[in-house]
Amino acid sequence: MAPIEVKKICCIGAGYVGGPTCAVIALKCPHIQVTIVDLNQARIDAWNSDNLPIYEPGLDEVVKAARGKNLFFSTNVDKAIAEADLIFVSVNTPTKKSGIGAGFAADLNYLQLATRRIAEVSTSSKIVVEKSTVPCRTAESMRTILEANSKPGCTFDILSNPEFLAEGTAIADLFNPDRVLIGSLQTQSGKDACEALKNVYSNWISTDRILTVGLWSSELSKLAANAMLAQRISSINALSAICEATGASVDEVAHAVGRDSRVGPKFLKASVGFGGSCFQKDILNLVYLSESLHLPEVAKYWRAVVEMNEHQKDRFARKVVDTLFNTITGKKIALLGWAFKKDTGDTRESPSISIANHFLSEKARISIYDPQVTESQMWLDLTNYGDIPAEPIKPHVTICKSAEEACKNAEAIVICTEWDEFKTLDWEKIYANCPRPAFVFDGRLMLDRAALKKIGFTVITIGTGDRV
Ligand code: UDX
Ligand code: ADP
């Protein structure tokens, strides 16, 4: 049989995953028509404007090059589904807030609604690809939903094709991925569907980087990859506490350890804690899965990675309070960086949020600056965390247009995100406008500690003992 030729792709969900991924597919496959759909009209309008809904270096250029040619953004979900040969499901799968598995399991409601829509609207056979991070065996439930609701003559092949892009480097990661993983059932039609998707990617990725595996291995590999990356960060962060207590430098330790080719140098940067939409969610998913499989020791092991991350954020916030002579009540604290990492406007699980709330609970006044995050997003994050009403905290929070403005008269400057521009601020001027002693807390080990000390700042850096 001739391989299935993919001519039209529909992507359900125009978020951080679906948007960049399918925009790059459109750019690299001019012969394929790609339609990205979402229920959120404002989001689709933004994708169709000059002001894209997400900030991602290189994304503007990709969208401009393909939009209107073979890349389309629409809220007409049904039409795009009906026309497509292959459908990516890239909807959100947040951690459940209530019911069984609350706080751990993934909320698959959006995924199931999208799957039902595919079954109801399709009048021809489709390849359905799960892109969203999902618990193991989700493909099985998608298949059941599709088969139970399909029209006569329509068949569905389900593939798992997890996304490994990191925000901030999404376009580079998509252009040149370490690997593309495609999981399928090992039946003939499963293998054919897998081949069809492989042919899409092989327009720009060499086939030795496209790994084809079983469905469940693919689903578990995504959780495993994120859990192991997060585990490295929690490991180096645990060591950072020892470094602070002993006078060792965590950067030196990470460098020495990372030079062992079996360990490797990446993902060993100590920090104020990891954030982002994936790491915590995926580990909690793994914990839930392990518990469901009656593997309590395995669950405990992975849970500790998240607990260490919580401890690191808390430890850093406490250090600020301790250093400011055990009270920050009424004091102004500048928070530089609100995104969960540099080069993104995404704030999901950003350590800044819990640190800001710690300071607010100590009755400090905080001034926040981030080059990409909007003021309305910051308010949403502040009030959603612990369901705090906005009114009582409003007088204590100022959102600033520049780092200089945020730092003016601050008794402590706290770096939470490693934006490059923080390295080149006019620190002399900032110092001149700070009360004495002037403190900088570097939660990202990014500033020139010696230069700041020379200006007059007292610098406290994660993972660096005072004796260094
Ligand atoms: C992650 C995975 O890297 C990606 O493969 C997956 O598809 C989605 O989840 P992302 O969350 O976008 O990507 O960013 P990542 O670069 O992994 O950073 C996650 C968090 O870890 C950030 O808060 C970052 O600041 C922090 N981090 C990362 C560290 O604290 N130290 C490091 O050495 C690396
Ligand atoms: P991710 O980071 O996983 O891409 P996002 O929250 O950024 O997550 O994006 C997911 C998108 O999926 C949202 O814009 C949401 O509106 C959209 N979405 C959720 N359910 C559906 C659905 N049934 N049909 C179309 N779009 C959906």
Side-chain angles (χ1 to χ4, degrees):
M1 208 176 89
I4 308 163
E5 198 190 338
V6 175
K7 294 194 189 108
K8 287 190 180 174
I9 290 179
C10 162
C11 172
I12 307 181
Y16 284 90
V17 173
T21 308
C22 288
V24 167
I25 291 180
L27 183 79
K28 298 290 187 181
C29 309
H31 55 288
I32 299 179
Q33 181 183 310
V34 179
T35 307
I36 305 178
V37 293
D38 204 294
L39 298 172
N40 183 333
Q41 182 72 52
R43 213 166 202 184
I44 289 298
D45 290 346
W47 278 109
N48 279 320
S49 76
D50 286 337
N51 215 348
L52 300 185
I54 60 178
Y55 171 70
E56 194 59 60
L59 179 64
D60 278 18
E61 290 79 355
V62 172
V63 171
K64 273 194 192 128
R67 195 173 54 193
K69 291 182 189 142
N70 66 327
L71 173 65
F72 303 93
F73 296 92
S74 165
T75 48
N76 196 338
V77 179
D78 292 359
K79 180 167 179 277
I81 292 175
E83 289 179 352
D85 320 299
L86 184 146
I87 302 166
F88 284 110
V89 183
S90 305
V91 301
N92 32 339
T93 51
T95 304
K96 271 182 94 170
K97 290 210 169 102
S98 58
I100 296 172
F104 288 93
D107 181 348
L108 297 178
N109 197 29
Y110 300 103
L111 187 97
Q112 290 180 7
L113 288 174
T115 310
R116 267 178 202 285
R117 207 67 216 142
I118 296 172
E120 280 158 21
V121 170
S122 297
T123 50
S124 60
S125 298
K126 316 270 177 209
I127 299 172
V128 180
V129 186
E130 52 172 38
K131 250 292 156 222
S132 321
T133 306
V134 290
C136 281
R137 301 222 156 231
T138 301
E140 184 70 52
S141 51
M142 284 173 82
R143 192 150 62 101
T144 310
I145 294 174
L146 287 170
E147 281 171 3
N149 294 287
S150 63
K151 298 202 174 49
C154 290
T155 56
F156 297 98
D157 280 299
I158 307 206
L159 300 176
S160 156
N161 174 220
E163 192 47 77
F164 293 109
L165 63 80
E167 287 175 31
T169 54
I171 300 301
D173 293 347
L174 286 161
F175 279 1
N176 191 20
D178 286 345
R179 81 307 207 182
V180 168
L181 188 62
I182 307 176
S184 68
L185 281 184
Q186 298 306 301
T187 56
Q188 192 53 50
S189 78
K191 286 182 190 165
D192 290 345
C194 179
E195 198 59 26
L197 182 57
K198 192 173 172 183
N199 288 341
V200 173
Y201 284 114
S202 62
N203 281 293
W204 78 99
I205 297 160
S206 71
T207 46
D208 61 326
R209 290 197 181 192
I210 305 176
L211 316 181
T212 54
V213 298
L215 259 184
W216 320 132
S217 299
S218 174
E219 289 181 339
L220 184 58
S221 297
K222 167 71 185 206
L223 298 184
N226 276 345
M228 291 184 75
L229 288 169
Q231 179 208 44
R232 276 173 79 97
I233 303 170
S234 277
S235 297
I236 201 71
N237 282 344
L239 289 165
S240 75
I242 299 181
C243 289
E244 287 164 36
T246 56
S249 150
V250 76
D251 266 348
E252 287 176 359
V253 172
H255 182 66
V257 173
R259 283 296 282 267
D260 186 324
S261 60
R262 292 169 300 178
V263 177
K266 293 182 182 167
F267 261 71
L268 285 179
K269 186 78 183 167
S271 69
V272 59
F274 59 74
S277 71
C278 283
F279 282 177
Q280 178 168 317
K281 182 182 85 174
D282 289 354
I283 294 174
L284 295 178
N285 242 312
L286 208 51
V287 169
Y288 185 68
L289 178 72
S290 310
E291 275 169 356
S292 317
L293 296 170
H294 307 293
L295 301 168
E297 294 80 7
V298 178
K300 190 172 161 204
Y301 174 79
W302 288 114
R303 189 184 283 119
V305 173
V306 174
E307 284 169 358
M308 178 51 63
N309 198 47
E310 290 302 311
H311 175 65
Q312 185 76 347
K313 291 186 269 183
D314 194 51
R315 206 171 66 78
F316 184 64
R318 277 169 195 261
K319 189 150 205 164
V320 174
V321 181
D322 291 353
T323 311
L324 293 185
F325 317 107
N326 293 316
T327 178
I328 56 171
T329 304
K331 293 181 182 170
K332 176 175 172 176
I333 300 188
L335 254 163
L336 299 191
W338 194 256
F340 80 95
K341 62 188 268 197
K342 73 171 181 177
D343 292 339
T344 178
D346 194 354
T347 64
R348 286 176 288 180
E349 305 297 340
S350 176
S352 310
I353 303 171
S354 52
I355 289 168
N357 273 278
H358 190 115
F359 294 160
L360 286 173
S361 70
E362 295 280 347
K363 308 254 177 301
R365 291 178 296 127
I366 57 173
S367 51
I368 310 169
Y369 167 70
D370 187 284
Q372 282 300 331
V373 181
T374 60
E375 184 163 348
S376 56
Q377 184 60 49
M378 289 183 194
W379 280 114
L380 255 178
D381 293 335
L382 281 165
T383 48
N384 277 349
Y385 188 93
D387 289 331
I388 311 171
E391 289 318 312
I393 58 169
K394 268 202 166 139
H396 303 281
V397 179
T398 316
I399 292 168
C400 302
K401 296 259 178 292
S402 72
E404 276 85 358
E405 186 193 335
C407 294
K408 200 165 185 188
N409 296 324
E411 307 216 15
I413 298 167
V414 180
I415 309 274
C416 286
T417 315
E418 73 283 23
W419 286 101
D420 288 338
E421 67 174 69
F422 299 157
K423 287 187 189 155
T424 52
L425 294 174
D426 186 344
W427 284 104
E428 303 252 9
K429 192 168 153 205
I430 290 174
Y431 182 71
N433 287 323
C434 284
R436 307 286 183 267
F439 291 101
V440 172
F441 294 85
D442 186 355
R444 292 290 185 165
L445 296 87
M446 65 174 297
L447 298 176
D448 183 340
R449 188 178 155 99
L452 288 182
K453 275 187 158 179
K454 206 165 154 218
I455 293 172
F457 283 107
T458 303
V459 186
I460 287 102
T461 310
I462 290 241
T464 311
D466 289 336
R467 279 170 278 161
V468 174

